[in-house]
Amino acid sequence: MTTGREIFLAQMRRLPAPRPAWVPFAGVHAGSLIGVDARSYLHSVEHIVAGLQAAHASYRPDALPVVFDLQLEAEALGCPVAWAEQAPPSVTGHPLALSDAELPGFDLDAGRVPLVLEATRRLRALFADETGLLGLVCGPFTLAMHLLGTDMFLAMYDDPDRVQQVVAHAATVAARMSEAYLAAGCDAIAVVDPMLSQIAPDAASRFACPHLDTVYAAVHAVGAPVALFVCGDATANLDVLCAGGCDAMSVDENLDLAAARAVCARHGTALGGNLGLTMPLLTGDPAACRREALRCLDAGGEQGFILAPGCDLPYATPSANLAAVAAIVHDPYQREATRAAAVPAAAAVAAIALPDYAMIPTVAVDILTLDSATCPPCRYMVDAVDAAIAVGGVPVERHERKL
């Protein structure tokens, strides 16, 4: 009988497998399964192991990420972070914001890195060959943004050599973390670089792709596959990013999965995604989640496809919704029953009451985010708006509308 681990690795490499792979990005959601908050969860080997055991039992995955925390490396490099009860931490300061600041050294004994690697070793022993383990590392471009702050966007024009220096340094950190994860027992690496959706293809080619290749080379050197995880609408950059050395591309709900599949197929790249996080996983019901899983499976195809959420699962995602997705993956009858009971497009959600902008005596800016407290691209886009307001010279009324 083919194990989940074997299915996961086959799909990562676009090899034949009995079905698509299923990888729920449990993240701090695993903490909710054992009744602990995000901060406690991410500070404890025992909690991480117990949470992923609970996720394993409930969701029958083919692989699981050890943690989903894009601030892990940044914190180890000296970035201050703020903690939330139901989300990973967020970076609140940038050590390289001053142009003459020296690049911070990286140590595998720094911050929470040792406990995450110890959790990896314990999970490898527990899951043995049955279930795969995925090591998630913060991508070079996003890690550089953590170090430099939003001024990095301007520095790409004003001081490109400095940006290249910092992104290259971040790539060495990601490569070292990848090697450490693999040595501790991970089967594959995902380079999570959400900020890549915020730049143009030529900028991605110049400031990101060469440094991503540094990470890919480190992973391939030990014979493991590597995925690139991008957030947001990265449609314009998908071709450029797939042309690099990654084995798989993971995308969120902002991309058309069938179109992404076509791009990936041209490059021989596997595809992962792209279950909707907010609707239906967080706010929907099991029936809606079954339909969403079926949509993704139909668009992704049988070979070279990994069914996964569009990003880190929200802490409070109902377990029944994820169990419903698992049923679609594992049970052909569930797929046929869901297809037969398909309903027209979901009923329209309640209209959002927009302000009467004409009556507001100031400039009004509404920012739509997932949550800037937990999502790096959301945080930096809010920061960019605030920076513009600070120099605009006119009254501005700014609101963040969190999904």
Side-chain angles (χ1 to χ4, degrees):
M1 181 177 178
T2 308
T3 67
R5 186 187 189 192
E6 290 169 337
I7 291 172
F8 167 65
L9 288 172
Q11 293 292 4
M12 281 282 288
R13 295 184 167 109
R14 288 182 61 87
L15 297 174
R19 57 168 173 78
W22 159 228
V23 183
F25 294 131
V28 296
H29 167 74
S32 75
L33 299 179
I34 58 171
V36 299
D37 62 69
R39 181 170 189 164
S40 300
Y41 180 77
L42 290 173
H43 279 90
S44 166
V45 173
E46 288 72 23
H47 287 338
I48 293 171
V49 171
L52 290 182
Q53 284 183 291
H56 185 268
S58 297
Y59 308 145
R60 297 180 287 164
D62 298 307
L64 283 168
V66 179
V67 294
F68 202 122
D69 179 357
L70 300 189
Q71 290 65 239
L72 180 68
E73 295 92 337
E75 186 183 25
L77 286 167
C79 292
V81 299
W83 286 88
E85 293 298 300
Q86 296 191 4
S90 58
V91 169
T92 59
H94 314 289
L96 300 184
L98 298 176
S99 59
D100 59 349
E102 294 184 2
L103 296 175
F106 178 71
D107 192 328
L108 291 173
D109 291 328
R112 292 174 292 114
V113 173
L115 73 87
V116 171
L117 294 177
E118 176 58 23
T120 304
R121 288 186 281 269
R122 294 192 193 181
L123 288 163
R124 178 77 285 152
L126 286 167
F127 292 161
D129 293 330
E130 177 188 357
T131 304
L133 282 177
L134 185 60
L136 269 60
V137 302
C138 185
F141 194 82
T142 297
L143 184 54
M145 183 73 75
H146 284 327
L147 294 170
L148 286 166
T150 52
D151 285 348
M152 178 171 160
F153 286 125
L154 294 176
M156 289 164 66
Y157 298 94
D158 298 336
D159 194 358
D161 290 343
R162 175 62 166 173
V163 173
Q164 292 284 16
Q165 179 192 39
V166 176
V167 182
H169 181 62
T172 66
V173 173
R176 287 190 65 195
M177 273 300 303
S178 298
E179 292 165 346
Y181 266 128
L182 294 169
C186 282
D187 300 289
I189 296 296
V191 182
V192 189
D193 218 333
M195 296 306 297
L196 292 179
S197 63
Q198 307 300 313
I199 57 176
D202 59 343
S205 296
R206 182 181 178 189
F207 291 100
C209 292
H211 307 296
L212 287 167
D213 286 342
T214 297
V215 189
Y216 302 156
V219 177
H220 289 151
V222 296
V226 58
L228 175 62
F229 194 124
V230 291
C231 296
D233 187 356
T235 302
N237 290 341
L238 206 58
D239 198 65
V240 167
L241 297 174
C242 283
C246 65
D247 300 285
M249 179 71 62
S250 192
V251 300
D252 78 9
E253 63 211 76
N254 289 282
L255 273 76
D256 179 274
L257 201 58
R261 178 188 177 189
V263 174
C264 289
R266 288 202 303 271
H267 294 278
T269 305
L271 176 64
N274 71 343
L275 296 164
L277 282 182
T278 306
M279 297 174 61
L281 289 180
L282 179 62
T283 62
D285 59 19
C289 292
R290 284 192 291 269
R291 292 193 295 270
E292 175 74 350
L294 190 60
R295 173 193 70 80
C296 292
L297 291 172
D298 286 346
E302 289 291 325
Q303 188 168 331
F305 182 63
I306 300 159
L307 180 66
C311 196
D312 185 18
L313 285 167
Y315 181 89
T317 303
S319 295
N321 286 353
L322 293 163
V325 174
I328 290 293
V329 171
H330 289 283
D331 189 347
Y333 172 77
Q334 288 277 357
R335 292 196 290 275
E336 293 310 311
T338 299
R339 200 181 304 280
V343 296
V349 297
I352 298 173
L354 294 175
D356 184 353
Y357 290 108
M359 299 303 295
I360 297 175
T362 64
V363 173
V365 180
D366 285 288
I367 312 168
L368 303 181
T369 68
L370 286 174
D371 185 347
S372 64
T374 64
C375 165
C378 300
R379 175 72 265 155
Y380 291 129
M381 293 308 99
V382 171
D383 287 347
V385 171
D386 288 343
I389 290 172
V391 299
V394 296
V396 177
E397 187 176 308
R398 190 270 276 175
H399 298 283
E400 180 185 357
R401 312 292 185 181
K402 299 182 180 184
L403 296 178

